[in-house]
PDB file of all heavy atoms in Angstrom:
ATOM      1  N   LYS O 964     -13.522  31.769  40.322  1.00  0.00           N
ATOM      2  CA  LYS O 964     -14.437  31.088  41.283  1.00  0.00           C
ATOM      3  C   LYS O 964     -13.674  30.186  42.245  1.00  0.00           C
ATOM      4  O   LYS O 964     -13.990  30.116  43.421  1.00  0.00           O
ATOM      5  CB  LYS O 964     -15.455  30.238  40.482  1.00  0.00           C
ATOM      6  CG  LYS O 964     -16.538  31.026  39.855  1.00  0.00           C
ATOM      7  CD  LYS O 964     -17.882  30.446  40.245  1.00  0.00           C
ATOM      8  CE  LYS O 964     -18.732  31.493  40.959  1.00  0.00           C
ATOM      9  NZ  LYS O 964     -19.894  30.917  41.620  1.00  0.00           N
ATOM     10  N   LYS O 968     -12.761  30.221  46.920  1.00  0.00           N
ATOM     11  CA  LYS O 968     -12.834  29.161  47.914  1.00  0.00           C
ATOM     12  C   LYS O 968     -11.462  28.755  48.465  1.00  0.00           C
ATOM     13  O   LYS O 968     -11.365  28.280  49.586  1.00  0.00           O
ATOM     14  CB  LYS O 968     -13.473  27.910  47.270  1.00  0.00           C
ATOM     15  CG  LYS O 968     -14.959  27.986  47.158  1.00  0.00           C
ATOM     16  CD  LYS O 968     -15.625  27.512  48.447  1.00  0.00           C
ATOM     17  CE  LYS O 968     -17.100  27.851  48.433  1.00  0.00           C
ATOM     18  NZ  LYS O 968     -17.723  27.573  49.731  1.00  0.00           N
ATOM     19  N   LYS O1056     -13.042   7.576  29.776  1.00  0.00           N
ATOM     20  CA  LYS O1056     -13.999   7.452  30.869  1.00  0.00           C
ATOM     21  C   LYS O1056     -13.433   8.064  32.137  1.00  0.00           C
ATOM     22  O   LYS O1056     -14.172   8.612  32.941  1.00  0.00           O
ATOM     23  CB  LYS O1056     -14.266   5.952  31.141  1.00  0.00           C
ATOM     24  CG  LYS O1056     -15.265   5.323  30.243  1.00  0.00           C
ATOM     25  CD  LYS O1056     -15.425   3.852  30.657  1.00  0.00           C
ATOM     26  CE  LYS O1056     -16.343   3.130  29.704  1.00  0.00           C
ATOM     27  NZ  LYS O1056     -16.144   1.683  29.802  1.00  0.00           N
ATOM     28  N   HIS O1057     -12.135   7.938  32.298  1.00  0.00           N
ATOM     29  CA  HIS O1057     -11.539   8.333  33.563  1.00  0.00           C
ATOM     30  C   HIS O1057     -11.025   9.766  33.487  1.00  0.00           C
ATOM     31  O   HIS O1057      -9.840  10.015  33.638  1.00  0.00           O
ATOM     32  CB  HIS O1057     -10.468   7.336  33.986  1.00  0.00           C
ATOM     33  CG  HIS O1057     -11.047   5.965  34.223  1.00  0.00           C
ATOM     34  ND1 HIS O1057     -11.811   5.680  35.314  1.00  0.00           N
ATOM     35  CD2 HIS O1057     -11.063   4.862  33.446  1.00  0.00           C
ATOM     36  CE1 HIS O1057     -12.210   4.420  35.257  1.00  0.00           C
ATOM     37  NE2 HIS O1057     -11.802   3.923  34.111  1.00  0.00           N
ATOM     38  N   LEU O1059     -12.734  13.945  34.280  1.00  0.00           N
ATOM     39  CA  LEU O1059     -13.889  14.729  34.723  1.00  0.00           C
ATOM     40  C   LEU O1059     -14.413  15.461  33.507  1.00  0.00           C
ATOM     41  O   LEU O1059     -13.609  16.049  32.765  1.00  0.00           O
ATOM     42  CB  LEU O1059     -13.513  15.687  35.828  1.00  0.00           C
ATOM     43  CG  LEU O1059     -12.899  15.020  37.083  1.00  0.00           C
ATOM     44  CD1 LEU O1059     -12.558  16.070  38.119  1.00  0.00           C
ATOM     45  CD2 LEU O1059     -13.872  14.000  37.675  1.00  0.00           C
ATOM     46  N   ASP O1067     -19.280  27.346  36.923  1.00  0.00           N
ATOM     47  CA  ASP O1067     -19.437  26.882  38.306  1.00  0.00           C
ATOM     48  C   ASP O1067     -19.010  25.436  38.436  1.00  0.00           C
ATOM     49  O   ASP O1067     -18.342  25.036  39.394  1.00  0.00           O
ATOM     50  CB  ASP O1067     -20.908  27.009  38.758  1.00  0.00           C
ATOM     51  CG  ASP O1067     -21.235  28.455  39.161  1.00  0.00           C
ATOM     52  OD1 ASP O1067     -20.337  29.318  38.969  1.00  0.00           O
ATOM     53  OD2 ASP O1067     -22.363  28.699  39.640  1.00  0.00           O
ATOM     54  N   GLU O1068     -19.432  24.635  37.475  1.00  0.00           N
ATOM     55  CA  GLU O1068     -19.142  23.226  37.533  1.00  0.00           C
ATOM     56  C   GLU O1068     -17.635  22.960  37.285  1.00  0.00           C
ATOM     57  O   GLU O1068     -17.026  22.093  37.928  1.00  0.00           O
ATOM     58  CB  GLU O1068     -19.991  22.437  36.517  1.00  0.00           C
ATOM     59  CG  GLU O1068     -19.940  20.926  36.629  1.00  0.00           C
ATOM     60  CD  GLU O1068     -20.329  20.364  38.000  1.00  0.00           C
ATOM     61  OE1 GLU O1068     -21.092  21.001  38.754  1.00  0.00           O
ATOM     62  OE2 GLU O1068     -19.854  19.256  38.336  1.00  0.00           O
ATOM     63  N   ALA O1070     -15.278  25.009  38.141  1.00  0.00           N
ATOM     64  CA  ALA O1070     -14.641  25.403  39.411  1.00  0.00           C
ATOM     65  C   ALA O1070     -14.897  24.351  40.482  1.00  0.00           C
ATOM     66  O   ALA O1070     -13.975  23.986  41.241  1.00  0.00           O
ATOM     67  CB  ALA O1070     -15.175  26.743  39.860  1.00  0.00           C
ATOM     68  N   ASN O1071     -16.112  23.843  40.543  1.00  0.00           N
ATOM     69  CA  ASN O1071     -16.469  22.806  41.511  1.00  0.00           C
ATOM     70  C   ASN O1071     -15.536  21.607  41.368  1.00  0.00           C
ATOM     71  O   ASN O1071     -15.039  21.048  42.342  1.00  0.00           O
ATOM     72  CB  ASN O1071     -17.927  22.392  41.244  1.00  0.00           C
ATOM     73  CG  ASN O1071     -18.455  21.323  42.190  1.00  0.00           C
ATOM     74  OD1 ASN O1071     -18.175  21.381  43.391  1.00  0.00           O
ATOM     75  ND2 ASN O1071     -19.159  20.331  41.663  1.00  0.00           N
ATOM     76  N   LYS O1072     -15.278  21.230  40.122  1.00  0.00           N
ATOM     77  CA  LYS O1072     -14.462  20.053  39.904  1.00  0.00           C
ATOM     78  C   LYS O1072     -12.974  20.329  40.132  1.00  0.00           C
ATOM     79  O   LYS O1072     -12.251  19.495  40.645  1.00  0.00           O
ATOM     80  CB  LYS O1072     -14.713  19.505  38.476  1.00  0.00           C
ATOM     81  CG  LYS O1072     -16.098  18.875  38.390  1.00  0.00           C
ATOM     82  CD  LYS O1072     -16.318  18.014  37.194  1.00  0.00           C
ATOM     83  CE  LYS O1072     -17.454  17.048  37.474  1.00  0.00           C
ATOM     84  NZ  LYS O1072     -18.550  17.071  36.544  1.00  0.00           N
ATOM     85  N   ILE O1074     -11.822  22.409  42.345  1.00  0.00           N
ATOM     86  CA  ILE O1074     -11.671  22.401  43.803  1.00  0.00           C
ATOM     87  C   ILE O1074     -11.650  20.976  44.338  1.00  0.00           C
ATOM     88  O   ILE O1074     -10.859  20.624  45.201  1.00  0.00           O
ATOM     89  CB  ILE O1074     -12.775  23.259  44.470  1.00  0.00           C
ATOM     90  CG1 ILE O1074     -12.583  24.721  44.123  1.00  0.00           C
ATOM     91  CG2 ILE O1074     -12.757  23.070  45.982  1.00  0.00           C
ATOM     92  CD1 ILE O1074     -13.745  25.635  44.510  1.00  0.00           C
ATOM     93  N   ALA O1075     -12.544  20.155  43.791  1.00  0.00           N
ATOM     94  CA  ALA O1075     -12.642  18.756  44.274  1.00  0.00           C
ATOM     95  C   ALA O1075     -11.298  18.052  44.113  1.00  0.00           C
ATOM     96  O   ALA O1075     -10.794  17.385  45.007  1.00  0.00           O
ATOM     97  CB  ALA O1075     -13.751  18.039  43.559  1.00  0.00           C
ATOM     98  N   HIS O1079      -9.351  16.944  47.458  1.00  0.00           N
ATOM     99  CA  HIS O1079      -9.486  15.542  47.844  1.00  0.00           C
ATOM    100  C   HIS O1079      -8.461  14.700  47.090  1.00  0.00           C
ATOM    101  O   HIS O1079      -8.709  14.297  45.949  1.00  0.00           O
ATOM    102  CB  HIS O1079     -10.899  15.012  47.548  1.00  0.00           C
ATOM    103  CG  HIS O1079     -11.987  15.837  48.195  1.00  0.00           C
ATOM    104  ND1 HIS O1079     -12.080  16.005  49.557  1.00  0.00           N
ATOM    105  CD2 HIS O1079     -12.986  16.588  47.657  1.00  0.00           C
ATOM    106  CE1 HIS O1079     -13.111  16.788  49.838  1.00  0.00           C
ATOM    107  NE2 HIS O1079     -13.651  17.165  48.706  1.00  0.00           N
ATOM    108  N   PRO O1080      -7.355  14.390  47.742  1.00  0.00           N
ATOM    109  CA  PRO O1080      -6.282  13.651  47.054  1.00  0.00           C
ATOM    110  C   PRO O1080      -6.798  12.312  46.484  1.00  0.00           C
ATOM    111  O   PRO O1080      -6.311  11.842  45.444  1.00  0.00           O
ATOM    112  CB  PRO O1080      -5.255  13.397  48.145  1.00  0.00           C
ATOM    113  CG  PRO O1080      -5.501  14.463  49.151  1.00  0.00           C
ATOM    114  CD  PRO O1080      -6.950  14.772  49.103  1.00  0.00           C
ATOM    115  N   ALA O1081      -7.768  11.692  47.162  1.00  0.00           N
ATOM    116  CA  ALA O1081      -8.265  10.391  46.682  1.00  0.00           C
ATOM    117  C   ALA O1081      -8.822  10.488  45.267  1.00  0.00           C
ATOM    118  O   ALA O1081      -8.727   9.511  44.493  1.00  0.00           O
ATOM    119  CB  ALA O1081      -9.319   9.865  47.629  1.00  0.00           C
ATOM    120  N   LEU O1082      -9.362  11.633  44.923  1.00  0.00           N
ATOM    121  CA  LEU O1082      -9.917  11.815  43.572  1.00  0.00           C
ATOM    122  C   LEU O1082      -8.835  11.821  42.528  1.00  0.00           C
ATOM    123  O   LEU O1082      -8.902  11.122  41.524  1.00  0.00           O
ATOM    124  CB  LEU O1082     -10.728  13.121  43.544  1.00  0.00           C
ATOM    125  CG  LEU O1082     -11.389  13.519  42.253  1.00  0.00           C
ATOM    126  CD1 LEU O1082     -12.346  12.429  41.747  1.00  0.00           C
ATOM    127  CD2 LEU O1082     -12.133  14.855  42.394  1.00  0.00           C
ATOM    128  N   THR O1085      -7.310   8.309  42.065  1.00  0.00           N
ATOM    129  CA  THR O1085      -8.151   7.394  41.291  1.00  0.00           C
ATOM    130  C   THR O1085      -8.127   7.769  39.819  1.00  0.00           C
ATOM    131  O   THR O1085      -8.018   6.931  38.915  1.00  0.00           O
ATOM    132  CB  THR O1085      -9.592   7.371  41.844  1.00  0.00           C
ATOM    133  OG1 THR O1085      -9.536   7.304  43.249  1.00  0.00           O
ATOM    134  CG2 THR O1085     -10.358   6.183  41.304  1.00  0.00           C
ATOM    135  N   LEU O1086      -8.259   9.079  39.552  1.00  0.00           N
ATOM    136  CA  LEU O1086      -8.232   9.543  38.152  1.00  0.00           C
ATOM    137  C   LEU O1086      -6.905   9.206  37.492  1.00  0.00           C
ATOM    138  O   LEU O1086      -6.864   8.775  36.331  1.00  0.00           O
ATOM    139  CB  LEU O1086      -8.439  11.063  38.104  1.00  0.00           C
ATOM    140  CG  LEU O1086      -9.859  11.583  38.272  1.00  0.00           C
ATOM    141  CD1 LEU O1086      -9.862  13.054  38.514  1.00  0.00           C
ATOM    142  CD2 LEU O1086     -10.688  11.241  37.021  1.00  0.00           C
ATOM    143  N   HIS O1089      -6.490   5.135  36.989  1.00  0.00           N
ATOM    144  CA  HIS O1089      -7.329   4.581  35.924  1.00  0.00           C
ATOM    145  C   HIS O1089      -7.040   5.287  34.605  1.00  0.00           C
ATOM    146  O   HIS O1089      -7.021   4.654  33.548  1.00  0.00           O
ATOM    147  CB  HIS O1089      -8.806   4.718  36.261  1.00  0.00           C
ATOM    148  CG  HIS O1089      -9.244   3.814  37.360  1.00  0.00           C
ATOM    149  ND1 HIS O1089      -9.302   2.463  37.226  1.00  0.00           N
ATOM    150  CD2 HIS O1089      -9.642   4.064  38.618  1.00  0.00           C
ATOM    151  CE1 HIS O1089      -9.725   1.904  38.343  1.00  0.00           C
ATOM    152  NE2 HIS O1089      -9.943   2.876  39.202  1.00  0.00           N
ATOM    153  N   LYS O1096      -4.484   2.247  26.334  1.00  0.00           N
ATOM    154  CA  LYS O1096      -5.282   1.485  25.361  1.00  0.00           C
ATOM    155  C   LYS O1096      -5.565   2.251  24.082  1.00  0.00           C
ATOM    156  O   LYS O1096      -6.114   1.729  23.132  1.00  0.00           O
ATOM    157  CB  LYS O1096      -6.599   1.053  26.010  1.00  0.00           C
ATOM    158  CG  LYS O1096      -6.368   0.094  27.172  1.00  0.00           C
ATOM    159  CD  LYS O1096      -7.646  -0.584  27.613  1.00  0.00           C
ATOM    160  CE  LYS O1096      -8.636   0.417  28.129  1.00  0.00           C
ATOM    161  NZ  LYS O1096      -9.856  -0.217  28.617  1.00  0.00           N
TER     162      LYS O1096
ATOM    163  N   HIS D1426     -27.749  17.355  42.906  1.00  0.00           N
ATOM    164  CA  HIS D1426     -26.491  17.904  42.464  1.00  0.00           C
ATOM    165  C   HIS D1426     -26.062  18.997  43.453  1.00  0.00           C
ATOM    166  O   HIS D1426     -26.827  19.917  43.724  1.00  0.00           O
ATOM    167  CB  HIS D1426     -26.631  18.485  41.046  1.00  0.00           C
ATOM    168  CG  HIS D1426     -25.352  19.066  40.528  1.00  0.00           C
ATOM    169  ND1 HIS D1426     -24.224  18.291  40.351  1.00  0.00           N
ATOM    170  CD2 HIS D1426     -24.984  20.313  40.151  1.00  0.00           C
ATOM    171  CE1 HIS D1426     -23.237  19.037  39.869  1.00  0.00           C
ATOM    172  NE2 HIS D1426     -23.677  20.258  39.748  1.00  0.00           N
ATOM    173  N   THR D1428     -22.829  21.402  44.605  1.00  0.00           N
ATOM    174  CA  THR D1428     -21.453  21.844  44.325  1.00  0.00           C
ATOM    175  C   THR D1428     -20.838  22.385  45.585  1.00  0.00           C
ATOM    176  O   THR D1428     -21.506  22.610  46.600  1.00  0.00           O
ATOM    177  CB  THR D1428     -21.390  22.942  43.235  1.00  0.00           C
ATOM    178  OG1 THR D1428     -21.869  24.175  43.810  1.00  0.00           O
ATOM    179  CG2 THR D1428     -22.231  22.582  42.016  1.00  0.00           C
ATOM    180  N   VAL D1429     -19.563  22.660  45.492  1.00  0.00           N
ATOM    181  CA  VAL D1429     -18.854  23.213  46.639  1.00  0.00           C
ATOM    182  C   VAL D1429     -19.350  24.625  46.958  1.00  0.00           C
ATOM    183  O   VAL D1429     -19.123  25.135  48.054  1.00  0.00           O
ATOM    184  CB  VAL D1429     -17.297  23.179  46.344  1.00  0.00           C
ATOM    185  CG1 VAL D1429     -16.937  24.215  45.296  1.00  0.00           C
ATOM    186  CG2 VAL D1429     -16.485  23.313  47.590  1.00  0.00           C
ATOM    187  N   PHE D1430     -20.090  25.206  46.023  1.00  0.00           N
ATOM    188  CA  PHE D1430     -20.612  26.555  46.261  1.00  0.00           C
ATOM    189  C   PHE D1430     -22.004  26.532  46.909  1.00  0.00           C
ATOM    190  O   PHE D1430     -22.567  27.586  47.217  1.00  0.00           O
ATOM    191  CB  PHE D1430     -20.676  27.338  44.951  1.00  0.00           C
ATOM    192  CG  PHE D1430     -19.343  27.425  44.254  1.00  0.00           C
ATOM    193  CD1 PHE D1430     -19.082  26.687  43.114  1.00  0.00           C
ATOM    194  CD2 PHE D1430     -18.330  28.220  44.775  1.00  0.00           C
ATOM    195  CE1 PHE D1430     -17.832  26.741  42.512  1.00  0.00           C
ATOM    196  CE2 PHE D1430     -17.090  28.272  44.179  1.00  0.00           C
ATOM    197  CZ  PHE D1430     -16.832  27.533  43.036  1.00  0.00           C
ATOM    198  N   ASN D1719     -11.890   1.442  45.444  1.00  0.00           N
ATOM    199  CA  ASN D1719     -10.906   2.472  45.036  1.00  0.00           C
ATOM    200  C   ASN D1719     -10.719   3.512  46.140  1.00  0.00           C
ATOM    201  O   ASN D1719     -11.425   3.520  47.131  1.00  0.00           O
ATOM    202  CB  ASN D1719     -11.324   3.110  43.678  1.00  0.00           C
ATOM    203  CG  ASN D1719     -12.610   3.905  43.777  1.00  0.00           C
ATOM    204  OD1 ASN D1719     -12.832   4.603  44.777  1.00  0.00           O
ATOM    205  ND2 ASN D1719     -13.440   3.816  42.752  1.00  0.00           N
ATOM    206  N   ALA D1720      -9.749   4.346  45.911  1.00  0.00           N
ATOM    207  CA  ALA D1720      -9.353   5.339  46.946  1.00  0.00           C
ATOM    208  C   ALA D1720     -10.482   6.302  47.276  1.00  0.00           C
ATOM    209  O   ALA D1720     -10.634   6.692  48.412  1.00  0.00           O
ATOM    210  CB  ALA D1720      -8.106   6.101  46.475  1.00  0.00           C
ATOM    211  N   MET D1721     -11.294   6.633  46.268  1.00  0.00           N
ATOM    212  CA  MET D1721     -12.408   7.608  46.536  1.00  0.00           C
ATOM    213  C   MET D1721     -13.422   6.967  47.486  1.00  0.00           C
ATOM    214  O   MET D1721     -13.887   7.627  48.431  1.00  0.00           O
ATOM    215  CB  MET D1721     -13.112   7.921  45.231  1.00  0.00           C
ATOM    216  CG  MET D1721     -12.275   8.639  44.218  1.00  0.00           C
ATOM    217  SD  MET D1721     -13.231   9.212  42.795  1.00  0.00           S
ATOM    218  CE  MET D1721     -13.837   7.699  42.061  1.00  0.00           C
ATOM    219  N   ASN D1724     -12.006   6.682  50.949  1.00  0.00           N
ATOM    220  CA  ASN D1724     -11.904   8.019  51.551  1.00  0.00           C
ATOM    221  C   ASN D1724     -13.263   8.547  51.989  1.00  0.00           C
ATOM    222  O   ASN D1724     -13.451   8.997  53.115  1.00  0.00           O
ATOM    223  CB  ASN D1724     -11.256   8.967  50.531  1.00  0.00           C
ATOM    224  CG  ASN D1724     -11.261  10.392  51.012  1.00  0.00           C
ATOM    225  OD1 ASN D1724     -11.779  11.287  50.327  1.00  0.00           O
ATOM    226  ND2 ASN D1724     -10.723  10.684  52.166  1.00  0.00           N
ATOM    227  N   THR D1762     -15.341   2.142  40.141  1.00  0.00           N
ATOM    228  CA  THR D1762     -14.691   2.358  38.822  1.00  0.00           C
ATOM    229  C   THR D1762     -14.415   1.040  38.088  1.00  0.00           C
ATOM    230  O   THR D1762     -13.811   1.053  37.020  1.00  0.00           O
ATOM    231  CB  THR D1762     -13.364   3.105  39.019  1.00  0.00           C
ATOM    232  OG1 THR D1762     -12.679   2.560  40.147  1.00  0.00           O
ATOM    233  CG2 THR D1762     -13.611   4.589  39.233  1.00  0.00           C
ATOM    234  N   TRP D1764     -15.577  -0.772  35.831  1.00  0.00           N
ATOM    235  CA  TRP D1764     -16.617  -0.754  34.842  1.00  0.00           C
ATOM    236  C   TRP D1764     -16.432  -1.812  33.787  1.00  0.00           C
ATOM    237  O   TRP D1764     -17.264  -2.010  32.935  1.00  0.00           O
ATOM    238  CB  TRP D1764     -16.567   0.592  34.094  1.00  0.00           C
ATOM    239  CG  TRP D1764     -17.368   1.627  34.722  1.00  0.00           C
ATOM    240  CD1 TRP D1764     -18.372   1.474  35.602  1.00  0.00           C
ATOM    241  CD2 TRP D1764     -17.269   3.025  34.512  1.00  0.00           C
ATOM    242  NE1 TRP D1764     -18.906   2.660  35.952  1.00  0.00           N
ATOM    243  CE2 TRP D1764     -18.223   3.639  35.282  1.00  0.00           C
ATOM    244  CE3 TRP D1764     -16.435   3.810  33.676  1.00  0.00           C
ATOM    245  CZ2 TRP D1764     -18.395   5.041  35.303  1.00  0.00           C
ATOM    246  CZ3 TRP D1764     -16.614   5.170  33.698  1.00  0.00           C
ATOM    247  CH2 TRP D1764     -17.580   5.767  34.509  1.00  0.00           C
ATOM    248  N   PHE D1765     -15.283  -2.428  33.784  1.00  0.00           N
ATOM    249  CA  PHE D1765     -14.893  -3.145  32.565  1.00  0.00           C
ATOM    250  C   PHE D1765     -15.636  -4.459  32.381  1.00  0.00           C
ATOM    251  O   PHE D1765     -15.992  -4.849  31.285  1.00  0.00           O
ATOM    252  CB  PHE D1765     -13.393  -3.300  32.509  1.00  0.00           C
ATOM    253  CG  PHE D1765     -12.727  -1.948  32.586  1.00  0.00           C
ATOM    254  CD1 PHE D1765     -12.085  -1.542  33.735  1.00  0.00           C
ATOM    255  CD2 PHE D1765     -12.845  -1.071  31.529  1.00  0.00           C
ATOM    256  CE1 PHE D1765     -11.514  -0.278  33.802  1.00  0.00           C
ATOM    257  CE2 PHE D1765     -12.302   0.188  31.586  1.00  0.00           C
ATOM    258  CZ  PHE D1765     -11.648   0.599  32.732  1.00  0.00           C
ATOM    259  N   ASP D1778     -23.203  10.581  35.831  1.00  0.00           N
ATOM    260  CA  ASP D1778     -22.519  10.216  34.576  1.00  0.00           C
ATOM    261  C   ASP D1778     -21.256   9.446  34.831  1.00  0.00           C
ATOM    262  O   ASP D1778     -20.849   8.662  33.990  1.00  0.00           O
ATOM    263  CB  ASP D1778     -22.141  11.505  33.801  1.00  0.00           C
ATOM    264  CG  ASP D1778     -23.364  12.228  33.257  1.00  0.00           C
ATOM    265  OD1 ASP D1778     -24.397  11.560  33.113  1.00  0.00           O
ATOM    266  OD2 ASP D1778     -23.290  13.428  32.994  1.00  0.00           O
ATOM    267  N   TYR D1781     -16.704   9.572  39.323  1.00  0.00           N
ATOM    268  CA  TYR D1781     -16.002  10.779  39.840  1.00  0.00           C
ATOM    269  C   TYR D1781     -17.021  11.840  40.240  1.00  0.00           C
ATOM    270  O   TYR D1781     -16.885  12.487  41.255  1.00  0.00           O
ATOM    271  CB  TYR D1781     -15.034  11.272  38.784  1.00  0.00           C
ATOM    272  CG  TYR D1781     -14.024  10.188  38.376  1.00  0.00           C
ATOM    273  CD1 TYR D1781     -14.149   9.481  37.210  1.00  0.00           C
ATOM    274  CD2 TYR D1781     -13.022   9.841  39.279  1.00  0.00           C
ATOM    275  CE1 TYR D1781     -13.261   8.475  36.894  1.00  0.00           C
ATOM    276  CE2 TYR D1781     -12.130   8.820  38.973  1.00  0.00           C
ATOM    277  CZ  TYR D1781     -12.241   8.143  37.768  1.00  0.00           C
ATOM    278  OH  TYR D1781     -11.389   7.139  37.469  1.00  0.00           O
ATOM    279  N   ASP D1782     -18.029  12.019  39.392  1.00  0.00           N
ATOM    280  CA  ASP D1782     -19.055  13.001  39.715  1.00  0.00           C
ATOM    281  C   ASP D1782     -19.747  12.619  41.028  1.00  0.00           C
ATOM    282  O   ASP D1782     -20.093  13.500  41.827  1.00  0.00           O
ATOM    283  CB  ASP D1782     -20.119  13.058  38.602  1.00  0.00           C
ATOM    284  CG  ASP D1782     -19.564  13.686  37.318  1.00  0.00           C
ATOM    285  OD1 ASP D1782     -18.386  14.106  37.366  1.00  0.00           O
ATOM    286  OD2 ASP D1782     -20.276  13.753  36.328  1.00  0.00           O
ATOM    287  N   TYR D1784     -18.527  10.917  43.554  1.00  0.00           N
ATOM    288  CA  TYR D1784     -17.639  11.181  44.693  1.00  0.00           C
ATOM    289  C   TYR D1784     -17.599  12.697  45.018  1.00  0.00           C
ATOM    290  O   TYR D1784     -17.703  13.103  46.184  1.00  0.00           O
ATOM    291  CB  TYR D1784     -16.230  10.681  44.367  1.00  0.00           C
ATOM    292  CG  TYR D1784     -15.157  11.097  45.353  1.00  0.00           C
ATOM    293  CD1 TYR D1784     -15.019  10.421  46.568  1.00  0.00           C
ATOM    294  CD2 TYR D1784     -14.276  12.135  45.069  1.00  0.00           C
ATOM    295  CE1 TYR D1784     -14.045  10.823  47.485  1.00  0.00           C
ATOM    296  CE2 TYR D1784     -13.298  12.525  45.979  1.00  0.00           C
ATOM    297  CZ  TYR D1784     -13.189  11.854  47.181  1.00  0.00           C
ATOM    298  OH  TYR D1784     -12.216  12.231  48.097  1.00  0.00           O
ATOM    299  N   ILE D1785     -17.469  13.504  43.959  1.00  0.00           N
ATOM    300  CA  ILE D1785     -17.373  14.963  44.171  1.00  0.00           C
ATOM    301  C   ILE D1785     -18.648  15.460  44.866  1.00  0.00           C
ATOM    302  O   ILE D1785     -18.592  16.212  45.836  1.00  0.00           O
ATOM    303  CB  ILE D1785     -17.150  15.687  42.832  1.00  0.00           C
ATOM    304  CG1 ILE D1785     -15.766  15.357  42.288  1.00  0.00           C
ATOM    305  CG2 ILE D1785     -17.292  17.208  43.010  1.00  0.00           C
ATOM    306  CD1 ILE D1785     -15.530  15.802  40.862  1.00  0.00           C
ATOM    307  N   MET D1788     -18.723  14.322  48.543  1.00  0.00           N
ATOM    308  CA  MET D1788     -17.764  15.024  49.396  1.00  0.00           C
ATOM    309  C   MET D1788     -18.214  16.470  49.624  1.00  0.00           C
ATOM    310  O   MET D1788     -17.969  17.018  50.689  1.00  0.00           O
ATOM    311  CB  MET D1788     -16.366  14.977  48.781  1.00  0.00           C
ATOM    312  CG  MET D1788     -15.749  13.589  48.732  1.00  0.00           C
ATOM    313  SD  MET D1788     -15.773  12.673  50.312  1.00  0.00           S
ATOM    314  CE  MET D1788     -14.370  13.403  51.145  1.00  0.00           C
ATOM    315  N   ASN D1789     -18.893  17.060  48.655  1.00  0.00           N
ATOM    316  CA  ASN D1789     -19.386  18.430  48.849  1.00  0.00           C
ATOM    317  C   ASN D1789     -20.473  18.432  49.939  1.00  0.00           C
ATOM    318  O   ASN D1789     -20.528  19.334  50.762  1.00  0.00           O
ATOM    319  CB  ASN D1789     -19.931  19.021  47.538  1.00  0.00           C
ATOM    320  CG  ASN D1789     -18.812  19.387  46.570  1.00  0.00           C
ATOM    321  OD1 ASN D1789     -17.686  19.616  46.981  1.00  0.00           O
ATOM    322  ND2 ASN D1789     -19.150  19.434  45.287  1.00  0.00           N
ATOM    323  N   ILE D1812      -6.075  11.349  55.644  1.00  0.00           N
ATOM    324  CA  ILE D1812      -6.930  12.092  54.728  1.00  0.00           C
ATOM    325  C   ILE D1812      -7.621  11.120  53.820  1.00  0.00           C
ATOM    326  O   ILE D1812      -8.798  11.205  53.526  1.00  0.00           O
ATOM    327  CB  ILE D1812      -6.118  13.100  53.927  1.00  0.00           C
ATOM    328  CG1 ILE D1812      -5.553  14.127  54.900  1.00  0.00           C
ATOM    329  CG2 ILE D1812      -6.988  13.759  52.854  1.00  0.00           C
ATOM    330  CD1 ILE D1812      -4.763  15.215  54.265  1.00  0.00           C
ATOM    331  N   PHE D1813      -6.909  10.149  53.385  1.00  0.00           N
ATOM    332  CA  PHE D1813      -7.559   9.086  52.636  1.00  0.00           C
ATOM    333  C   PHE D1813      -6.760   7.799  52.839  1.00  0.00           C
ATOM    334  O   PHE D1813      -5.605   7.798  53.180  1.00  0.00           O
ATOM    335  CB  PHE D1813      -7.676   9.416  51.152  1.00  0.00           C
ATOM    336  CG  PHE D1813      -6.363   9.470  50.435  1.00  0.00           C
ATOM    337  CD1 PHE D1813      -5.880   8.356  49.752  1.00  0.00           C
ATOM    338  CD2 PHE D1813      -5.640  10.632  50.425  1.00  0.00           C
ATOM    339  CE1 PHE D1813      -4.685   8.418  49.105  1.00  0.00           C
ATOM    340  CE2 PHE D1813      -4.423  10.683  49.739  1.00  0.00           C
ATOM    341  CZ  PHE D1813      -3.942   9.601  49.077  1.00  0.00           C
TER     342      PHE D1813
END
Side-chain angles (χ1 to χ4, degrees):
Chain O
K964 283 233 121 193
K968 281 275 168 187
K1056 276 181 186 161
H1057 297 287
L1059 302 180
D1067 281 5
E1068 189 57 26
N1071 181 42
K1072 289 196 157 124
I1074 292 170
H1079 305 298
L1082 179 57
T1085 315
L1086 281 167
H1089 289 292
K1096 296 194 296 183
Chain D
H1426 181 61
T1428 75
V1429 72
F1430 304 107
N1719 66 39
M1721 297 188 297
N1724 173 236
T1762 44
W1764 272 341
F1765 304 107
D1778 290 338
Y1781 302 103
D1782 290 357
Y1784 171 79
I1785 292 170
M1788 294 309 280
N1789 287 337
I1812 295 182
F1813 67 94

